[in-house]
Amino acid sequence: MKKQIITLLVACLMGGTLFAQPAWFDDKDLTLTGTYYYPEHWNEKQWERDFKQMHELGFEFTHFAEFAWAQLEPEEGKYDFAWLDKAVALAAKYQLKVIMCTSTATPPVWLSRKYPEILIKHEDGTILDHGARQHASFASPLYRELSYKMIEKLAQHYGNDPRIIGWQLDNEPAVQFDYNPAAETAFRQFLRDKYHNHIEELNDAWGTAFWSEVYSSFDEITLPKTAQMFMNHHQILDYRRFAAKQTNDFLNEQCLLIKKHARNQWVTTNYIPNYAEGHIGGSPDLDFASYTRYMVYGDNEGIGRRGYRVGNPLRIAFANDFFRPVKGFYGVMELQPGQVNWGSINPQPLPGAVRLWLWSVFAGGSDFTCTYRYRQPLYGTEQYHYGIVNTDGTTVTPGGREFEQFMKEIKQLRTLAKARDVKPDDYMARHTAILFNHENAWSIERQKQNHTWNTMAHVEKYYRALKSFGAPVDIINESKDLAQYPVVIAPAYQMADKALVDRWTEYVKQGGNLILTCRTAQKDRYGRLPEAPFGSMISKLTGDEIEFYDLLLPEEPGKYVIDGKEYTWNTWGEILKPSKECRSWGKYIEEFYEGKTAISTRKLGKGSITYVGIDSTDGSLEKDVLRKLYTELNIPVMELPYGVTMEYRNGLGIVLNYSDKPYSFTLPAGAKAVIGTTDIPTAGVLVFSIQK
Ligand code: GAL
């Protein structure tokens, strides 16, 4: 309790985000590291040897039962936990705590044969079958019931066991676009509830007067065929909301069942960071959200000729900044230890890259990292997937050695650890939120107007600029309080309503600095255009009118000039008519609207509102506009090259180099390097302690 008060106090003093230290994790540990183990895959005689070596390498927890439903309930209603008890006891003998899983991603064959109605049906009619994983429908009430019976037994058995630290639900639960008849029934019910059993309300929301789409009863409604061109996109919007809710409800119900029996154990799941899928963070009773991340799988999103061995420099950073704000803390459930088996090409990571990713996860503030997996499998779909040890079960892989090094380094730093929110003032002064709602991406991507437009890429242009400034970023949803951030950016926030615009206005009047970008507040929450001038929902706030918008061919991009510097664009440009209180930044050239502007800014109350009605080709306009604004606002920014990032936590600064060149970092006054040197090689890491 005393400690919690101190943490809060420190957070206040440092101007940090006010999240109390979570009860399950201790700042003294900095972070914990663990690894997946599947006892059911291995000869029982090897378990002890494996846990001993796991412990000697430095792991502090392991992870069991993820896909073991067939072993846990070999016949309907007959449970066998004896083997798992033995594995838990042996792990404990080597000081390994356990994350327990609900194995709902892999129903046993008796279940699929006896109750085939639980199987997922694809839009083209294919029914999934036993023999892989993730083939059961979350919308099936029967599947849920059978899952809950198994989960409740597991929770009764392990919920009061101090060797179990927490629970992971399912595996990478995704939003299912499932055409199982149970999903159709549930969709109709979802619509009845949403539209108060009044079909006229639905007809109005979906604009069904268009093309004779009108319905006379909810029973006529089917799951929309997304493959069918021109399918009503208001309907698709509701279908996506419904589909995300199926996954979220299934997880939340699992979580509540476990919590009935669990003592001091957390519950989470391991989401794939598919941000626009729309379900992450949507199960309110989960204690926090964790993610899985793979960095090297054949795509070259890295820097330079061998960048594909290191990976995209912001891939982990964005996930950290998206998952942490969900509950204020997070963990990483799967981090690649070496080659994977499922990429287009599965190269070896660059020596040092695995450790770089571990430090990247740490830099975002995570409380733990778990790696998938300890042993390389000898059979099954993932035979070519690397582990911490290789196919002989004992030889440590290069990635395994990098985990070992990281765990040693963390243990060494524990003596220096300060409270998690000990961060420098100039860093916190540029704390920026990106307001994100996946529904905007759903809506825009369905009606792009320019096939070269990409909603996530638009958001990432702002994110990338912020990371080059060394700014801490929270990617948040509308449930969060905006007032805690000096700057909030809402990029391409297409669907809005009066309540949201009022909140934005209040935030600005009270001293916040809001940046809205093109395509914002142009539709209502059903995806309809208001009967008013285009984009006018925010014109009182921004002070602008939109005259029109233009979209260009990528091979014939347009030009925009700010302070004498030219930028190219083609995906979307709005032509604004700013009012007298606004200052405009830059103008279009070489078009019939030459001289007109896309960017305006003005003071309002104690704060400011900036509107950026254009999307540039390479993100340089977005970066320069942000820098200009932050300079006006006296917010100190850094100039880090792309590929280098810097974050703070626990009184430590962490600098990561994903670029193909060495980077020389200048330590802040009074800081001291504690891991690495200020000359940071490719895939290198520098950790320094700050004076505070
Ligand atoms: C993840 C999945 C794991 C494992 C891994 C292989 O997406 O959650 O169960 O299959 O991929 O890289």
Short mmCIF file of all heavy atoms in Angstrom, two decimals, residues 532-576:
data_model
loop_
_atom_site.label_atom_id
_atom_site.label_comp_id
_atom_site.label_asym_id
_atom_site.label_seq_id
_atom_site.Cartn_x
_atom_site.Cartn_y
_atom_site.Cartn_z
N ALA A 532 -26.06 18.60 -44.33
CA ALA A 532 -25.42 19.88 -43.97
C ALA A 532 -24.22 20.01 -44.89
O ALA A 532 -23.84 19.04 -45.54
CB ALA A 532 -24.95 19.81 -42.51
N PRO A 533 -23.58 21.20 -44.94
CA PRO A 533 -22.39 21.30 -45.78
C PRO A 533 -21.38 20.21 -45.43
O PRO A 533 -21.23 19.84 -44.26
CB PRO A 533 -21.84 22.69 -45.45
CG PRO A 533 -23.03 23.46 -44.99
CD PRO A 533 -23.92 22.47 -44.29
N PHE A 534 -20.69 19.71 -46.44
CA PHE A 534 -19.78 18.58 -46.27
C PHE A 534 -18.71 18.90 -45.21
O PHE A 534 -18.04 19.93 -45.28
CB PHE A 534 -19.12 18.23 -47.60
CG PHE A 534 -18.28 16.99 -47.55
CD1 PHE A 534 -18.87 15.74 -47.64
CD2 PHE A 534 -16.91 17.07 -47.37
CE1 PHE A 534 -18.11 14.58 -47.57
CE2 PHE A 534 -16.14 15.92 -47.29
CZ PHE A 534 -16.74 14.68 -47.39
N GLY A 535 -18.57 18.02 -44.22
CA GLY A 535 -17.53 18.19 -43.20
C GLY A 535 -17.84 19.26 -42.17
O GLY A 535 -16.97 19.61 -41.37
N SER A 536 -19.07 19.77 -42.14
CA SER A 536 -19.34 20.93 -41.29
C SER A 536 -19.54 20.59 -39.81
O SER A 536 -19.69 21.49 -38.99
CB SER A 536 -20.55 21.71 -41.81
OG SER A 536 -21.67 20.88 -41.83
N MET A 537 -19.52 19.31 -39.46
CA MET A 537 -19.70 18.93 -38.05
C MET A 537 -18.62 19.59 -37.17
O MET A 537 -18.83 19.85 -36.00
CB MET A 537 -19.61 17.40 -37.91
CG MET A 537 -20.54 16.83 -36.87
SD MET A 537 -20.26 15.05 -36.55
CE MET A 537 -20.70 14.27 -38.06
N ILE A 538 -17.44 19.84 -37.76
CA ILE A 538 -16.37 20.43 -36.96
C ILE A 538 -16.00 21.85 -37.39
O ILE A 538 -15.02 22.41 -36.90
CB ILE A 538 -15.09 19.56 -37.00
CG1 ILE A 538 -14.76 19.16 -38.43
CG2 ILE A 538 -15.20 18.38 -36.07
CD1 ILE A 538 -13.41 18.50 -38.58
N SER A 539 -16.81 22.48 -38.28
CA SER A 539 -16.34 23.78 -38.77
C SER A 539 -16.35 24.86 -37.69
O SER A 539 -15.51 25.76 -37.71
CB SER A 539 -17.06 24.23 -40.05
OG SER A 539 -18.39 24.00 -39.94
N LYS A 540 -17.25 24.74 -36.72
CA LYS A 540 -17.21 25.74 -35.62
C LYS A 540 -15.94 25.59 -34.80
O LYS A 540 -15.37 26.55 -34.30
CB LYS A 540 -18.42 25.55 -34.70
CG LYS A 540 -19.43 26.67 -34.85
CD LYS A 540 -20.62 26.47 -34.01
CE LYS A 540 -20.52 27.28 -32.72
NZ LYS A 540 -21.68 27.06 -31.87
N LEU A 541 -15.50 24.36 -34.64
CA LEU A 541 -14.29 24.09 -33.87
C LEU A 541 -13.03 24.50 -34.64
O LEU A 541 -12.18 25.22 -34.12
CB LEU A 541 -14.25 22.59 -33.51
CG LEU A 541 -12.97 22.02 -32.93
CD1 LEU A 541 -12.61 22.70 -31.60
CD2 LEU A 541 -13.11 20.51 -32.69
N THR A 542 -12.94 24.09 -35.89
CA THR A 542 -11.70 24.37 -36.65
C THR A 542 -11.67 25.79 -37.19
O THR A 542 -10.61 26.34 -37.44
CB THR A 542 -11.57 23.41 -37.85
OG1 THR A 542 -12.71 23.59 -38.71
CG2 THR A 542 -11.49 21.96 -37.42
N GLY A 543 -12.87 26.36 -37.42
CA GLY A 543 -12.95 27.67 -38.05
C GLY A 543 -12.85 27.58 -39.57
O GLY A 543 -12.75 28.61 -40.25
N ASP A 544 -12.90 26.37 -40.12
CA ASP A 544 -12.77 26.20 -41.57
C ASP A 544 -14.07 25.74 -42.21
O ASP A 544 -14.86 25.06 -41.57
CB ASP A 544 -11.77 25.07 -41.90
CG ASP A 544 -10.41 25.31 -41.32
OD1 ASP A 544 -9.96 26.45 -41.36
OD2 ASP A 544 -9.81 24.32 -40.83
N GLU A 545 -14.19 26.05 -43.48
CA GLU A 545 -15.19 25.35 -44.30
C GLU A 545 -14.42 24.53 -45.31
O GLU A 545 -13.33 24.94 -45.74
CB GLU A 545 -16.03 26.36 -45.08
CG GLU A 545 -17.16 26.96 -44.29
CD GLU A 545 -17.79 28.11 -45.05
OE1 GLU A 545 -17.92 28.02 -46.29
OE2 GLU A 545 -18.10 29.11 -44.39
N ILE A 546 -14.99 23.40 -45.71
CA ILE A 546 -14.34 22.62 -46.77
C ILE A 546 -15.02 23.01 -48.08
O ILE A 546 -16.23 22.81 -48.24
CB ILE A 546 -14.49 21.11 -46.52
CG1 ILE A 546 -13.76 20.72 -45.24
CG2 ILE A 546 -13.97 20.30 -47.71
CD1 ILE A 546 -13.82 19.24 -44.90
N GLU A 547 -14.26 23.59 -49.01
CA GLU A 547 -14.87 23.94 -50.31
C GLU A 547 -15.14 22.68 -51.11
O GLU A 547 -16.21 22.47 -51.65
CB GLU A 547 -13.93 24.85 -51.09
CG GLU A 547 -14.02 26.31 -50.69
CD GLU A 547 -13.31 27.18 -51.71
OE1 GLU A 547 -13.61 27.09 -52.91
OE2 GLU A 547 -12.44 27.94 -51.28
N PHE A 548 -14.12 21.85 -51.21
CA PHE A 548 -14.23 20.55 -51.89
C PHE A 548 -12.98 19.75 -51.55
O PHE A 548 -12.08 20.26 -50.87
CB PHE A 548 -14.40 20.69 -53.41
CG PHE A 548 -13.32 21.49 -54.08
CD1 PHE A 548 -12.20 20.87 -54.60
CD2 PHE A 548 -13.42 22.89 -54.21
CE1 PHE A 548 -11.20 21.60 -55.21
CE2 PHE A 548 -12.42 23.62 -54.82
CZ PHE A 548 -11.30 22.97 -55.32
N TYR A 549 -12.94 18.51 -52.00
CA TYR A 549 -11.72 17.69 -51.82
C TYR A 549 -11.32 17.16 -53.18
O TYR A 549 -12.14 17.04 -54.09
CB TYR A 549 -11.96 16.55 -50.82
CG TYR A 549 -13.21 15.76 -51.09
CD1 TYR A 549 -13.20 14.67 -51.97
CD2 TYR A 549 -14.41 16.12 -50.50
CE1 TYR A 549 -14.35 13.96 -52.23
CE2 TYR A 549 -15.57 15.42 -50.77
CZ TYR A 549 -15.54 14.35 -51.64
OH TYR A 549 -16.69 13.66 -51.92
N ASP A 550 -10.04 16.81 -53.30
CA ASP A 550 -9.55 16.33 -54.58
C ASP A 550 -8.67 15.10 -54.36
O ASP A 550 -8.06 14.93 -53.30
CB ASP A 550 -8.73 17.45 -55.27
CG ASP A 550 -8.58 17.20 -56.76
OD1 ASP A 550 -9.29 16.32 -57.30
OD2 ASP A 550 -7.75 17.89 -57.40
N LEU A 551 -8.64 14.25 -55.37
CA LEU A 551 -7.87 13.01 -55.30
C LEU A 551 -7.14 12.89 -56.63
O LEU A 551 -7.73 13.10 -57.68
CB LEU A 551 -8.81 11.82 -55.13
CG LEU A 551 -9.99 12.06 -54.17
CD1 LEU A 551 -11.06 11.01 -54.36
CD2 LEU A 551 -9.51 12.05 -52.75
N LEU A 552 -5.87 12.55 -56.58
CA LEU A 552 -5.04 12.59 -57.79
C LEU A 552 -4.49 11.21 -58.12
O LEU A 552 -4.46 10.32 -57.27
CB LEU A 552 -3.88 13.56 -57.58
CG LEU A 552 -4.21 14.95 -57.05
CD1 LEU A 552 -2.94 15.76 -56.86
CD2 LEU A 552 -5.17 15.69 -57.97
N LEU A 553 -4.01 11.07 -59.34
CA LEU A 553 -3.37 9.82 -59.73
C LEU A 553 -1.99 9.75 -59.06
O LEU A 553 -1.29 10.76 -59.00
CB LEU A 553 -3.18 9.77 -61.25
CG LEU A 553 -4.40 10.03 -62.12
CD1 LEU A 553 -4.04 9.78 -63.58
CD2 LEU A 553 -5.56 9.12 -61.72
N PRO A 554 -1.58 8.57 -58.61
CA PRO A 554 -0.27 8.48 -57.95
C PRO A 554 0.87 8.86 -58.89
O PRO A 554 1.89 9.40 -58.45
CB PRO A 554 -0.17 7.02 -57.52
CG PRO A 554 -1.23 6.28 -58.25
CD PRO A 554 -2.29 7.28 -58.64
N GLU A 555 0.70 8.60 -60.19
CA GLU A 555 1.79 8.93 -61.12
C GLU A 555 1.79 10.40 -61.50
O GLU A 555 2.72 10.89 -62.13
CB GLU A 555 1.76 8.02 -62.36
CG GLU A 555 0.51 8.08 -63.21
CD GLU A 555 -0.63 7.15 -62.73
OE1 GLU A 555 -0.66 6.81 -61.52
OE2 GLU A 555 -1.49 6.82 -63.55
N GLU A 556 0.75 11.12 -61.08
CA GLU A 556 0.69 12.57 -61.33
C GLU A 556 0.39 13.29 -60.02
O GLU A 556 -0.65 13.94 -59.87
CB GLU A 556 -0.43 12.88 -62.35
CG GLU A 556 -0.17 12.45 -63.76
CD GLU A 556 0.99 13.20 -64.41
OE1 GLU A 556 1.35 14.29 -63.93
OE2 GLU A 556 1.56 12.65 -65.37
N PRO A 557 1.26 13.15 -59.02
CA PRO A 557 0.95 13.73 -57.71
C PRO A 557 0.88 15.26 -57.75
O PRO A 557 1.42 15.88 -58.66
CB PRO A 557 2.11 13.26 -56.83
CG PRO A 557 3.22 12.95 -57.75
CD PRO A 557 2.60 12.54 -59.05
N GLY A 558 0.23 15.82 -56.75
CA GLY A 558 0.15 17.27 -56.65
C GLY A 558 1.24 17.81 -55.76
O GLY A 558 2.00 17.06 -55.14
N LYS A 559 1.31 19.17 -55.70
CA LYS A 559 2.35 19.79 -54.87
C LYS A 559 1.70 20.72 -53.85
O LYS A 559 0.73 21.41 -54.17
CB LYS A 559 3.31 20.59 -55.74
CG LYS A 559 4.20 19.71 -56.58
CD LYS A 559 5.17 20.53 -57.38
CE LYS A 559 6.01 19.62 -58.26
NZ LYS A 559 6.55 20.35 -59.41
N TYR A 560 2.30 20.76 -52.68
CA TYR A 560 1.84 21.64 -51.61
C TYR A 560 3.09 22.30 -51.04
O TYR A 560 4.11 21.63 -50.85
CB TYR A 560 1.11 20.83 -50.54
CG TYR A 560 0.32 21.69 -49.59
CD1 TYR A 560 -0.97 22.09 -49.92
CD2 TYR A 560 0.85 22.11 -48.39
CE1 TYR A 560 -1.71 22.91 -49.06
CE2 TYR A 560 0.13 22.92 -47.52
CZ TYR A 560 -1.15 23.31 -47.87
OH TYR A 560 -1.87 24.11 -47.03
N VAL A 561 3.04 23.59 -50.80
CA VAL A 561 4.24 24.30 -50.35
C VAL A 561 3.99 24.93 -48.97
O VAL A 561 2.98 25.61 -48.78
CB VAL A 561 4.59 25.44 -51.34
CG1 VAL A 561 5.84 26.17 -50.89
CG2 VAL A 561 4.78 24.89 -52.73
N ILE A 562 4.90 24.65 -48.04
CA ILE A 562 4.86 25.33 -46.73
C ILE A 562 6.23 25.95 -46.50
O ILE A 562 7.25 25.24 -46.60
CB ILE A 562 4.57 24.36 -45.56
CG1 ILE A 562 3.36 23.48 -45.86
CG2 ILE A 562 4.36 25.14 -44.26
CD1 ILE A 562 3.11 22.41 -44.79
N ASP A 563 6.26 27.25 -46.17
CA ASP A 563 7.52 27.96 -45.89
C ASP A 563 8.58 27.67 -46.96
O ASP A 563 9.74 27.36 -46.65
CB ASP A 563 8.07 27.57 -44.50
CG ASP A 563 7.09 27.90 -43.39
OD1 ASP A 563 6.24 28.79 -43.59
OD2 ASP A 563 7.15 27.25 -42.32
N GLY A 564 8.17 27.65 -48.20
CA GLY A 564 9.11 27.47 -49.30
C GLY A 564 9.49 26.02 -49.59
O GLY A 564 10.20 25.74 -50.54
N LYS A 565 9.02 25.08 -48.76
CA LYS A 565 9.38 23.67 -49.00
C LYS A 565 8.21 22.95 -49.69
O LYS A 565 7.05 23.12 -49.30
CB LYS A 565 9.71 23.01 -47.66
CG LYS A 565 10.18 21.58 -47.79
CD LYS A 565 10.77 21.08 -46.47
CE LYS A 565 10.95 19.57 -46.52
NZ LYS A 565 11.28 19.00 -45.23
N GLU A 566 8.54 22.15 -50.72
CA GLU A 566 7.49 21.45 -51.49
C GLU A 566 7.26 20.03 -50.99
O GLU A 566 8.21 19.32 -50.70
CB GLU A 566 7.94 21.34 -52.95
CG GLU A 566 7.39 22.43 -53.82
CD GLU A 566 7.79 22.28 -55.28
OE1 GLU A 566 8.09 21.15 -55.73
OE2 GLU A 566 7.82 23.32 -55.96
N TYR A 567 6.00 19.65 -50.95
CA TYR A 567 5.63 18.29 -50.55
C TYR A 567 4.74 17.72 -51.65
O TYR A 567 3.98 18.47 -52.28
CB TYR A 567 4.83 18.31 -49.24
CG TYR A 567 5.57 18.99 -48.12
CD1 TYR A 567 5.48 20.37 -47.94
CD2 TYR A 567 6.37 18.26 -47.24
CE1 TYR A 567 6.16 21.01 -46.91
CE2 TYR A 567 7.07 18.89 -46.21
CZ TYR A 567 6.96 20.25 -46.05
OH TYR A 567 7.64 20.88 -45.04
N THR A 568 4.78 16.40 -51.87
CA THR A 568 3.86 15.82 -52.85
C THR A 568 2.72 15.08 -52.13
O THR A 568 2.86 14.64 -50.99
CB THR A 568 4.57 14.83 -53.79
OG1 THR A 568 5.13 13.80 -53.00
CG2 THR A 568 5.65 15.51 -54.61
N TRP A 569 1.62 14.97 -52.84
CA TRP A 569 0.44 14.30 -52.28
C TRP A 569 -0.41 13.77 -53.43
O TRP A 569 -0.29 14.24 -54.56
CB TRP A 569 -0.40 15.28 -51.45
CG TRP A 569 -1.09 16.33 -52.29
CD1 TRP A 569 -0.52 17.45 -52.83
CD2 TRP A 569 -2.44 16.30 -52.75
NE1 TRP A 569 -1.43 18.14 -53.57
CE2 TRP A 569 -2.63 17.45 -53.55
CE3 TRP A 569 -3.50 15.42 -52.56
CZ2 TRP A 569 -3.86 17.74 -54.16
CZ3 TRP A 569 -4.72 15.71 -53.16
CH2 TRP A 569 -4.89 16.87 -53.96
N ASN A 570 -1.23 12.77 -53.16
CA ASN A 570 -2.21 12.36 -54.17
C ASN A 570 -3.45 11.69 -53.59
O ASN A 570 -4.49 11.66 -54.22
CB ASN A 570 -1.58 11.42 -55.22
CG ASN A 570 -1.56 9.98 -54.76
OD1 ASN A 570 -0.76 9.61 -53.91
ND2 ASN A 570 -2.44 9.15 -55.29
N THR A 571 -3.34 11.11 -52.38
CA THR A 571 -4.44 10.26 -51.90
C THR A 571 -5.69 11.04 -51.50
O THR A 571 -6.81 10.60 -51.75
CB THR A 571 -4.00 9.44 -50.68
OG1 THR A 571 -3.45 10.35 -49.73
CG2 THR A 571 -2.97 8.40 -51.04
N TRP A 572 -5.47 12.22 -50.88
CA TRP A 572 -6.63 13.00 -50.41
C TRP A 572 -6.16 14.41 -50.08
O TRP A 572 -5.19 14.59 -49.33
CB TRP A 572 -7.24 12.34 -49.15
CG TRP A 572 -8.52 12.98 -48.69
CD1 TRP A 572 -8.63 14.11 -47.92
CD2 TRP A 572 -9.85 12.56 -48.97
NE1 TRP A 572 -9.95 14.41 -47.71
CE2 TRP A 572 -10.73 13.47 -48.34
CE3 TRP A 572 -10.40 11.49 -49.70
CZ2 TRP A 572 -12.12 13.34 -48.40
CZ3 TRP A 572 -11.79 11.37 -49.75
CH2 TRP A 572 -12.63 12.29 -49.11
N GLY A 573 -6.85 15.40 -50.62
CA GLY A 573 -6.53 16.78 -50.28
C GLY A 573 -7.81 17.59 -50.19
O GLY A 573 -8.66 17.54 -51.09
N GLU A 574 -7.97 18.30 -49.09
CA GLU A 574 -9.16 19.15 -48.93
C GLU A 574 -8.79 20.59 -49.21
O GLU A 574 -7.69 21.04 -48.86
CB GLU A 574 -9.72 19.00 -47.51
CG GLU A 574 -10.47 17.71 -47.35
CD GLU A 574 -10.55 17.23 -45.90
OE1 GLU A 574 -10.33 18.03 -44.98
OE2 GLU A 574 -10.83 16.03 -45.71
N ILE A 575 -9.70 21.29 -49.82
CA ILE A 575 -9.45 22.69 -50.15
C ILE A 575 -10.31 23.49 -49.17
O ILE A 575 -11.54 23.41 -49.17
CB ILE A 575 -9.81 22.98 -51.63
CG1 ILE A 575 -8.77 22.32 -52.55
CG2 ILE A 575 -9.82 24.46 -51.92
CD1 ILE A 575 -8.82 20.87 -52.72
N LEU A 576 -9.60 24.20 -48.26
CA LEU A 576 -10.29 24.84 -47.13
C LEU A 576 -10.53 26.32 -47.38
O LEU A 576 -9.77 26.98 -48.09
CB LEU A 576 -9.44 24.71 -45.86
CG LEU A 576 -8.99 23.34 -45.42
CD1 LEU A 576 -8.21 23.44 -44.10
CD2 LEU A 576 -10.18 22.39 -45.23
#
